Amino acid sequence: MFVTEIITNLEKGIFDDQLKMLNCREDIADQKARYRELLEAFKSKFGNQDAHLICAPGRTEIGGNHTDHQLGRVLAASVNMDIACVVCKNDEACEYYAQGYEVRPVAIDDLTIKDDEKFTSEALIRGTLARFKELGYDIGGFKAYAQSAVLKGSGVSSSAAFEVLIGAILSHLYNHGKVDPIVIAQVGQYAENNYFMKPCGLMDQLACSVGGFVTIDFTWLIS
């Protein structure tokens, strides 16, 4: 669906039910304005492309804080603060533009770990691409324009939301949306551990990727 068609459908209310579900409320006027602004920003930068709207939520812990590191159990839930993006395919590289952030393009033909990308968004994109390829999924480039309501450093897992967003982009653009949410979460953890170079458990990514209210027993990791 081209960007102008998405805008038309947004204004007609065709996406209202989905937006109400994602935001857990009936009044979505501000969200419709947000998505309209995002779509217009994408069109201004990339033109009227055949594009997708994709988002990934932040998360909160309800019980079992950090017991994912000890193979324990947690209760967690996604929240109605998310990273939303408009995205289309790109043959050359992964280009990610976000309001307030500068991310360099990531070439899809060089997926080796880069020491100078430690703790960067580029590392998470490159690591996600690499792990998707290792697992036998199709990969490719993209052009994305994003806006985040998941505040960085706020404790609702902005990094996990970003990892899940990149996994969802690759799933929908190149794998017919068929990549399991648990696999997307595991890929995000892999990218954060090995490319971003930060040790982390799997709770944040699972809560963001699966969505809703979830209980997770991490003993399955050793089964």
Side-chain angles (χ1 to χ4, degrees):
M1 190 180 298
F2 285 86
V3 171
T4 51
E5 186 179 356
I6 298 174
I7 292 172
T8 298
N9 288 338
L10 179 69
E11 292 176 340
K12 287 182 176 179
I14 290 175
F15 305 133
D16 283 6
D17 287 343
Q18 292 97 318
L19 289 174
K20 289 176 183 178
M21 181 270 292
L22 288 171
N23 290 276
C24 305
R25 53 191 168 91
E26 288 293 313
D27 184 0
I28 54 169
D30 60 336
Q31 289 301 306
K32 293 180 74 169
R34 175 195 183 204
Y35 277 100
R36 172 64 187 262
E37 180 180 344
L38 193 57
L39 287 156
E40 292 287 1
F42 177 94
K43 185 162 70 75
S44 177
K45 189 167 190 65
F46 299 120
N48 188 28
Q49 301 281 347
D50 186 6
H52 300 261
L53 275 170
I54 297 176
C55 66
R59 66 98 192 108
T60 187
E61 297 163 64
I62 297 162
N65 184 29
H66 293 302
T67 57
D68 54 329
H69 295 278
Q70 291 83 38
L71 301 181
R73 295 181 180 181
V74 300
L75 293 173
S78 58
V79 296
N80 60 352
M81 295 182 288
D82 65 3
I83 307 174
C85 79
V86 184
V87 62
C88 69
K89 288 184 176 181
N90 180 26
D91 293 335
E92 299 175 1
C94 296
E95 299 180 33
Y96 184 92
Y97 297 87
Q99 297 170 357
Y101 295 93
E102 181 177 352
V103 181
R104 293 172 297 172
V106 175
I108 62 174
D109 59 355
D110 182 5
L111 302 181
T112 58
I113 296 171
K114 311 290 183 185
D115 289 339
D116 62 348
E117 287 185 347
K118 183 178 182 180
F119 300 147
T120 67
S121 299
E122 292 87 350
L124 294 176
I125 294 172
R126 198 181 306 276
T128 301
L129 287 163
R131 189 58 174 163
F132 259 67
K133 187 174 182 178
E134 288 175 3
L135 294 174
Y137 294 106
D138 292 332
I139 64 170
F142 57 79
K143 295 179 180 179
Y145 199 100
Q147 190 276 333
S148 179
V150 185
L151 301 177
K152 188 175 181 180
S154 63
V156 289
S157 290
S158 58
S159 61
F162 180 76
E163 293 154 16
V164 168
L165 178 71
I166 300 303
I169 288 172
L170 295 178
S171 175
H172 285 278
L173 290 189
Y174 294 103
N175 296 278
H176 309 288
K178 300 294 187 181
V179 183
D180 190 281
I182 294 176
V183 172
I184 289 177
Q186 291 172 317
V187 169
Q189 182 195 26
Y190 174 90
E192 187 160 342
N193 290 170
N194 296 280
Y195 281 72
F196 194 78
M197 302 180 197
K198 176 184 175 183
C200 70
L202 187 57
M203 182 196 70
D204 295 354
Q205 292 86 353
L206 277 174
C208 292
S209 187
V210 174
F213 184 86
V214 293
T215 178
I216 311 165
D217 185 345
F218 287 95
T219 56
W220 66 271
L221 290 172
I222 58 174
S223 62

